[in-house]
Amino acid sequence: MVNLIWALLAIIGIVYAAFNGTMEDVNKAIFSTLDEAVMIALSLAGVLIFWLGLMKIAEEAGLLKGLAKLFRPFVRKIFPDIPENDPALGYILSNMTANMFGLGNAATPMGLKAMNELKRLSNSQEASRSMITLLAINTSSLTLIPTTVIAIRMKYGSEDPTSIVGATILATIISTCAALLIDRYFYYRRKRLMRT
């Protein structure tokens, strides 16, 4: 659906420019920003590859297992419907760990696998409590190191690209707490309404 919206926006813009006589301006804008888009993509790819490499080293060194073990009790409280040693918990922990290190692109496959496992557990076509909670946490995304933002700030010559780390940690802690509170509010509200 989103692809269709983007395609329609592009087509409408080109048709409007053709009728308005500003097609030359559209061409200039497309080609002048094309260079910059490619450079940003390449620089972000470099940073992502670097951090994925660090994540792989951390995984081989056992750091991710240690973090997963550290966060397991917390995650068990957030997702009480998931059995103790179910693979869904591992995928959720991997997803949360990748998000904490600002690796949203690396976190996505783990999040999708976690959703598939949660769907298997719920045995339903409707979103389960755990699926909704994971979506809320994933959207708010507690981030300790915002690697993508740091990379963009470095690309544009920021004097201190890491100065946003403290603000990012504070903002994402608040957003994650808010997401969990809202998730729990609607869960208990729905539960109360179903009883009556």
Side-chain angles (χ1 to χ4, degrees), residues 8 25 32 43 65 69-70 90 94 106 130 133 135 142-145 148 165-166 178:
L8 283 173
D25 294 337
S32 68
S43 64
K65 281 186 181 179
K69 200 178 274 188
L70 178 73
S94 296
S130 296
T133 302
L135 184 62
L142 176 62
T143 304
L144 302 177
I145 305 169
T148 305
V165 171

Side-chain angles (χ1 to χ4, degrees), residues 24-196:
E24 187 177 330
D25 294 337
V26 171
N27 285 334
K28 283 180 186 175
I30 288 172
F31 290 110
S32 68
T33 57
L34 194 58
D35 263 359
E36 191 171 341
V38 169
M39 290 309 295
I40 289 173
L42 288 175
S43 64
L44 289 178
V47 170
L48 186 61
I49 290 167
F50 171 74
W51 283 104
L52 284 173
L54 279 181
M55 286 288 283
K56 188 66 177 168
I57 292 168
E59 182 182 358
E60 294 292 325
L63 180 65
L64 294 184
K65 281 186 181 179
L67 281 172
K69 200 178 274 188
L70 178 73
F71 289 115
R72 187 172 283 274
F74 175 70
V75 172
R76 291 283 308 134
K77 286 189 188 326
I78 295 174
F79 299 98
D81 302 345
I82 301 173
E84 181 66 37
N85 291 317
D86 196 82
L89 272 180
Y91 289 128
I92 290 169
L93 286 164
S94 296
N95 173 269
M96 290 174 72
T97 304
N99 274 328
M100 283 183 197
F101 289 106
L103 301 171
N105 291 336
T108 300
M110 292 299 128
L112 292 173
K113 286 181 181 180
M115 280 295 188
N116 281 335
E117 291 295 320
L118 293 174
K119 184 177 181 181
R120 175 188 55 81
L121 286 173
S122 73
N123 221 2
S124 170
Q125 292 298 327
E126 290 184 12
S128 67
R129 172 187 179 188
S130 296
M131 292 169 89
I132 294 168
T133 302
L134 177 61
L135 184 62
I137 289 173
N138 219 1
T139 303
S140 66
S141 183
L142 176 62
T143 304
L144 302 177
I145 305 169
T147 54
T148 305
V149 178
I150 290 171
I152 291 171
R153 288 173 56 95
M154 286 171 61
K155 164 83 174 100
Y156 287 104
S158 173
E159 288 184 22
D160 189 8
T162 59
S163 65
I164 58 158
V165 171
T168 300
I169 292 171
L170 179 64
T172 59
I173 285 172
I174 291 170
S175 70
T176 301
C177 289
L180 284 172
L181 287 171
I182 292 168
D183 173 62
R184 290 302 184 246
Y185 168 76
F186 281 107
Y187 171 72
Y188 288 117
R189 180 177 168 213
R190 182 172 182 226
K191 198 173 176 181
R192 209 172 340 116
L193 290 174
M194 290 176 71
R195 281 191 213 148
T196 58

